[in-house]
Amino acid sequence: MNCKDLRDKLYRYFEGLLPNAEEEAIDRHAEACPECAGLLKQWSETTCRDLLDFIDDYVDGTLAESVRTVFERHLAICTQCVDYLDGYRKAIDGARALGKAERAAPPASMPPELIAAILAARKEKRS
Ligand SMILES: [Zn+2]
Ligand SMILES: [Zn+2]
């Protein structure tokens, strides 16, 4: 077990997905390595699950400064959450782009019946 191994396995360690032998190897390494011990401590303060609770507010930019700091500290050590956040942002952007398109006024030349039909079809698709 070296520092990089430990880092790669942290996520599974805290999710309880590692075999006992590997958990022990991590504990043993952390005892001898202050840097990784700090990492373990930091991680145990904020888990990936904690982050998920706040991800909406974080992406919206409405997260309180203090929580944000903790959030970003976790992001700095957790590639899983960085990837997750990335995907989440893309999904939100996609949804927003769609919302905008729906709100945009239809071209003036479109007959009202056609507009009504399109709107009805959209509603049906969503439900
Ligand atoms: Zn280490
Ligand atoms: Zn995480």
Side-chain angles (χ1 to χ4, degrees):
M1 174 77 53
N2 58 38
C3 298
K4 195 190 165 296
D5 274 352
L6 185 140
R7 225 170 262 248
D8 288 343
K9 285 175 180 152
L10 267 184
Y11 169 73
R12 276 167 289 164
Y13 177 84
F14 280 102
E15 291 291 310
L17 301 173
L18 281 182
N20 278 347
E22 295 207 39
E23 263 183 41
E24 276 162 28
I26 285 184
D27 290 338
R28 248 196 329 256
H29 176 93
E31 268 169 39
C33 174
E35 209 181 300
C36 288
L39 209 63
L40 278 182
K41 187 171 171 293
Q42 199 172 321
W43 197 297
S44 65
E45 281 164 2
T46 330
T47 64
C48 300
R49 262 172 230 284
D50 292 335
L51 238 70
L52 292 185
D53 289 342
F54 294 115
I55 198 163
D56 263 328
D57 292 342
Y58 181 77
V59 172
D60 281 348
T62 55
L63 203 60
E65 190 65 41
S66 57
V67 185
R68 223 180 121 96
T69 311
V70 176
F71 202 103
E72 278 168 356
R73 231 170 30 195
H74 179 90
L75 283 181
I77 55 171
C78 179
T79 51
Q80 274 90 357
C81 284
V82 172
D83 285 350
Y84 185 83
L85 189 65
D86 206 42
Y88 190 85
R89 274 214 175 104
K90 281 195 188 116
I92 297 249
D93 283 351
R96 279 203 187 128
L98 211 70
K100 248 182 228 155
E102 272 186 24
R103 251 176 275 130
S109 59
M110 233 191 219
E113 307 83 60
L114 183 59
I115 296 170
I118 290 173
L119 289 179
R122 273 190 187 156
K123 253 183 223 147
E124 228 154 85
K125 222 189 260 170
R126 235 179 288 147
S127 59

